[in-house]
């Protein structure tokens, strides 16, 4: 007798290792489709856009934030380090990159971004991400 069972959700460790691998191979955008819950909450250290909120609530808002960010700045030399595991439901990564701003008030400037992302996982999906920026 054959049964059709849903595949087990990824462990936090497996999800985190795969996320780091995807980011380091330039395939960051695949993470949203594979690992993010529809009701994910993303919290930046500060608003990314003038007059904006540091909080993006739901996967469509997170996608819109990322699209706006990639429109505003070109990223190079990106490195994602980790993951650093914390229990069964959290992990952190350290991200570094050079950002060349092509739009907005910082247009023409290049800055080095250093941040730590802390992720909370439930049932194999990221339900919360929080970013802590290094104040350079």
């Amino acid at each position: 007798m054959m049964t059709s069972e849903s595949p087990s959700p990824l462990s936090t460790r497996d999800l985190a290792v795969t996320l780091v691998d995807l980011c380091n191979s330039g395939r960051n955008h695949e993470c949203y489709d594979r690992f993010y819950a529809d009701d994910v909450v993303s919290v930046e250290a500060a608003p990314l856009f003038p007059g904006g909120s540091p909080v993006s609530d739901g996967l469509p808002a997170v996608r819109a934030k990322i699209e706006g960010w990639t429109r505003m700045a070109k990223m190079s030399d990106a490195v994602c380090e980790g993951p650093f595991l914390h229990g069964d439901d959290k992990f952190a990564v350290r991200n570094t990159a050079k950002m060349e701003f092509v739009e907005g008030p910082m247009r023409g400037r290049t800055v080095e971004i250093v941040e730590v992302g802390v992720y909370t996982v439930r049932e194999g999906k990221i339900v919360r991400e929080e970013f802590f920026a290094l104040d350079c």
Side-chain angles (χ1 to χ4, degrees):
M1 178 170 142
M2 295 192 62
T3 61
S4 66
E5 293 181 23
S6 299
S8 299
L10 282 177
S11 69
T12 297
R13 181 193 180 286
D14 290 345
L15 185 155
V17 167
T18 305
L19 179 138
V20 168
D21 289 346
L22 287 171
C23 290
N24 282 329
S25 63
R27 297 165 49 202
N28 321 32
H29 294 290
E30 288 182 38
C31 296
Y32 302 106
D33 293 331
R34 292 178 63 179
F35 303 132
Y36 280 60
D38 291 337
D39 61 348
V40 64
V41 175
S42 178
V43 183
E44 295 288 342
L48 294 181
F49 310 103
S53 170
V55 179
S56 299
D57 196 359
L59 188 53
V62 171
R63 287 183 192 277
K65 172 188 72 169
I66 297 303
E67 288 169 10
W69 181 248
T70 56
R71 207 173 29 252
M72 190 169 56
K74 278 188 349 187
M75 183 170 53
S76 62
D77 300 331
V79 176
C80 183
E81 297 175 275
F84 306 93
L85 300 171
H86 183 275
D88 293 333
D89 68 340
K90 288 189 169 82
F91 69 95
V93 298
R94 179 178 186 267
N95 299 305
T96 59
K98 287 185 182 166
M99 303 299 292
E100 177 188 350
F101 289 88
V102 296
E103 285 185 10
M106 292 184 61
R107 183 179 179 172
R109 287 186 57 199
T110 300
V111 297
E112 185 168 335
I113 302 293
V114 180
E115 69 180 7
V116 171
V118 177
Y119 299 83
T120 303
V121 178
R122 188 178 323 119
E123 297 176 7
K125 294 287 184 178
I126 294 169
V127 295
R128 184 175 182 87
E129 63 180 8
E130 297 175 85
F131 295 100
F132 299 78
L134 178 63
D135 187 18
C136 301

